Amino acid sequence: MSSDGSLRLKAEDADDLAVISSAVQDALVQVRDLVWTAKARRFSAELNRFRWEAKTKGAGQRVRSGLVVENVLSVKARNIRRDAPDAVAELLSVGFEVTDAPSGIVVLAFAGGGDMRLEVEALDISLIDLSPPWTAAARPDHGAEAQ
């Protein structure tokens, strides 16, 4: 975390990725902002991240953040409406499944059962806050899911 409270994180192993995954839990992203650039072998997502790490009361804060995955060989999406670029998806977690170390699959899991599976040569993910935080409309509530 920088001196102004913004995040600049990098993941090259499962422990690092767990930190990024917790930071992006409940991030909101428009489908148009999920971009794979095949030639550059890069996947990026601009998202409105809920700042779980901020010690705020009330609704909490969100911040515009960039999530970048390098070394991407292919991308598969399931239950993501690519034909609806204005649709908003809620990112729940980012995981990694090793296939042939260091290669594997980065899994972006979304609310409602959607996911994206990014085949990578090696784990190399960055999360960077891009804007100042603002007051969130509401704090994400997982109480109903726990019942």
Side-chain angles (χ1 to χ4, degrees):
M1 191 178 307
S2 69
S3 61
D4 67 356
S6 63
L7 293 184
R8 295 182 66 84
L9 303 174
K10 184 145 179 85
E12 294 179 342
D13 62 33
D15 291 337
D16 295 341
L17 187 57
V19 174
I20 287 179
S21 182
S22 66
V24 299
Q25 180 181 346
D26 299 310
L28 302 175
V29 58
Q30 283 189 299
V31 170
R32 77 163 48 91
D33 292 331
L34 299 167
V35 179
W36 178 40
T37 309
K39 194 169 195 173
R41 298 177 11 154
R42 177 177 299 123
F43 175 87
S44 62
E46 287 187 41
L47 41 93
N48 292 341
R49 184 178 73 75
F50 190 83
R51 294 185 70 224
W52 288 109
E53 73 281 4
K55 304 299 182 210
T56 59
K57 295 182 182 190
Q61 297 176 333
R62 286 198 179 270
V63 64
R64 191 75 170 157
S65 300
L67 180 71
V68 178
V69 182
E70 303 288 355
N71 306 310
V72 179
L73 303 173
S74 69
V75 175
K76 295 179 183 171
R78 183 176 57 115
N79 296 329
I80 303 288
R81 298 271 325 260
R82 301 299 294 178
D83 62 330
D86 293 333
V88 176
E90 181 181 1
L91 182 59
L92 298 178
S93 66
V94 181
F96 185 64
E97 301 169 359
V98 176
T99 55
D100 184 18
S103 300
I105 307 292
V106 172
V107 180
L108 305 176
F110 294 90
D115 64 26
M116 296 188 81
R117 298 176 63 80
L118 289 56
E119 180 185 3
V120 297
E121 276 187 335
L123 191 59
D124 185 355
I125 300 178
S126 300
L127 175 67
I128 300 171
D129 287 345
L130 304 171
S131 75
W134 66 87
T135 301
R139 179 177 292 276
D141 181 9
H142 297 275
E145 295 173 0
Q147 296 176 358

